Amino acid sequence: MREPYKAYQGLLTERSTVAAVVFTLALMWSVDQITFIGAFFVGAVAAAFLLQLEIKRRMERLENRRSAIREKRKSKTGASVLLGAHALDRLPSPLMLINADKKIAFANESARELLGNDIVGNDAILYLRQSNFVAALDNILKGQYGDFGVIRYTTSKDRSFDVTVAPVLAGRKQQDGVRAIVYFYEVTSLLRTERMRADFVANASHELRTPLTSVLGFIETLRGPAVGDQDAHKRFLGIMQTEAERMVRLIDDLLSLSRIEMTRYMAPNAITDINKLIVSAINTVKTVAAERGVVLVFEQAEGVASVIADSDQITQVLLNLLSNAAKYADPETTVHIHTELTRTGKHVMLSISDEGPGIAQEHLARLTERFYRVDTARSRKMGGTGLGLAIVKHILLRHGSTLDIKSQLGTGTSFSFKLAIPQNKPQSS
């Protein structure tokens, strides 16, 4: 409000001055102190001066109004830029904006976590050195737009991204400059899944090819050199039966794993007695364990009975773990099956511990992988398919649990997992 008041006050002063001059000239002319022509000339000059001042003042007022409009637009643009930057900063995928001199003008939080907190202001080529990225960025900054495809970027931590480079106009006018947007789409999990699928097919094919090759070889022998050898027939047919049974077990495990994965996200809601399942599994494995002098001992916790679980699947978990313990524990030792309530009282913790040779630490993290074996020859000799612990893992994932494996060489191995207790039926501790 002060500037318009000052302008109005200045206008009054100038007009008063001009009016005083005109009045003085008129008075001087009336008393014959100046001629009419002189008075008219001086008055015209004063009027022209006043008109010039008025035009100047109006131009200043118009320029002030334009400046105010520009400032308002600038503030709105700044607010929108800040809002846009805040929105981009929350994107889960890394994103960067590159200015005309290849400097990183903006990087969201994900990009800073990926490439470093101090990347803004640095040259983008320092972080993405691939030749196709450099060529794509050069073409975009030159205004040559096109389909540059997807650039694969892999970090030192084995994280893989598909990088896309696209042009972005920095302003409404072309002369405002051209910038590029670099977007990272993480494909680590996709590549791992694809690699796991390829490994699975290769491993399954290998596991099936080995017994099939043996069976075909024996058939060829029986039809050829050993066609009349009854002892060879008896021996080879026994081996063929063993290999065929191994293939049947492998196919059964593959089908079982497939069915379990189909119900991966369907949490069980049935209530079952965990003690009955454990006793039933022990009775099933007891005969195999007795052949090696292994004793199965169940240490039942008081007040632990009902759990939320799929009884068939948990029985499969118990049979797999108990069978492994009976096969791989040292002869004449004891396998302990133990249940207890967790501290929260919401879960039952079940542990199966053997007194065996133990497993080296570098193998523990991979035991639940499909077809992974610590001792391949021994596992095949024992009739294992390499899928038992993978099946256990996926069943427990469906039950919202994980398989915890602890082992020490020369001491033994312990497998444990937990199952939820129905909360409408509180258990006594």
Side-chain angles (χ1 to χ4, degrees), residues 311-336:
S311 58
D312 292 337
Q313 289 189 344
I314 295 302
T315 297
Q316 191 173 5
V317 168
L318 294 171
L319 289 175
N320 279 337
L321 295 179
L322 290 175
S323 297
N324 286 344
K327 293 175 182 178
Y328 296 106
D330 291 336
E332 308 299 330
T333 58
T334 302
V335 173
H336 298 273

Side-chain angles (χ1 to χ4, degrees), residues 138-424:
D138 287 339
N139 289 334
I140 286 177
L141 296 180
K142 293 176 183 178
Q144 300 173 2
Y145 307 147
D147 184 10
F148 304 108
V150 176
I151 302 163
R152 180 62 50 83
Y153 172 74
T154 303
T155 68
S156 58
K157 297 181 179 180
D158 291 332
R159 293 180 65 188
S160 298
F161 295 85
D162 280 347
V163 182
T164 303
V165 186
V168 176
L169 292 179
R172 293 184 178 181
K173 298 180 180 180
Q174 184 70 25
Q175 60 266 26
D176 288 339
V178 178
R179 297 178 180 179
I181 182 171
V182 181
Y183 181 76
F184 296 75
Y185 177 73
E186 186 163 7
V187 294
T188 305
S189 59
L190 295 177
L191 293 177
R192 287 178 180 173
T193 301
E194 185 63 30
R195 187 162 54 247
M196 287 176 59
R197 185 182 294 110
D199 292 343
F200 175 75
V201 172
N203 289 328
S205 301
H206 175 73
E207 293 292 334
L208 287 171
R209 179 180 293 275
T210 302
L212 278 174
T213 302
S214 299
V215 171
L216 291 174
F218 288 131
I219 292 175
E220 183 178 352
T221 302
L222 291 176
R223 296 180 65 181
V227 65
D229 190 341
Q230 294 299 321
D231 292 337
H233 275 223
K234 184 177 180 179
R235 185 173 66 257
F236 289 165
L237 286 174
I239 297 175
M240 291 168 64
Q241 181 178 0
T242 301
E243 295 295 332
E245 290 173 350
R246 177 184 166 192
M247 285 189 290
V248 170
R249 287 194 303 271
L250 178 60
I251 293 173
D252 287 342
D253 282 350
L254 289 172
L255 292 175
S256 177
L257 187 59
S258 178
R259 287 192 298 268
I260 293 168
E261 289 180 337
M262 289 176 63
T263 60
R264 164 69 177 85
Y265 298 102
M266 299 171 58
N269 53 13
I271 299 177
T272 187
D273 190 329
I274 187 62
N275 297 321
K276 292 182 179 179
L277 297 183
I278 295 174
V279 172
S280 175
I282 290 175
N283 291 332
T284 303
V285 181
K286 186 183 298 184
T287 303
V288 176
E291 294 177 356
R292 305 183 65 247
V294 176
V295 179
L296 306 177
V297 177
F298 178 27
E299 302 170 9
Q300 179 179 342
E302 296 182 3
V304 175
S306 298
V307 294
I308 301 175
D310 184 319
S311 58
D312 292 337
Q313 289 189 344
I314 295 302
T315 297
Q316 191 173 5
V317 168
L318 294 171
L319 289 175
N320 279 337
L321 295 179
L322 290 175
S323 297
N324 286 344
K327 293 175 182 178
Y328 296 106
D330 291 336
E332 308 299 330
T333 58
T334 302
V335 173
H336 298 273
I337 303 96
H338 177 71
T339 57
E340 65 177 345
L341 284 173
T342 59
R343 293 181 178 180
T344 61
K346 296 181 179 180
H347 295 84
V348 173
M349 181 65 70
L350 190 151
S351 302
I352 298 175
S353 305
D354 63 44
E355 299 172 2
I359 303 171
Q361 295 296 318
E362 61 266 21
H363 296 295
L364 295 182
R366 301 190 60 188
L367 283 180
T368 56
E369 292 182 11
R370 300 169 183 178
F371 299 110
Y372 185 82
R373 298 180 176 96
V374 177
D375 188 342
T376 303
R378 185 182 181 189
S379 174
R380 288 178 177 171
K381 184 179 179 180
M382 295 288 188
T385 62
L387 294 173
L389 291 181
I391 292 174
V392 169
K393 169 189 172 182
H394 284 82
I395 290 176
L396 294 180
L397 286 175
R398 186 196 170 205
H399 287 72
S401 182
T402 56
L403 183 64
D404 184 25
I405 306 174
K406 296 179 181 179
S407 184
Q408 187 174 356
L409 291 176
T411 302
T413 305
S414 174
F415 297 86
S416 59
F417 61 91
K418 62 183 180 180
L419 296 172
I421 297 174
Q423 295 305 303
N424 56 345

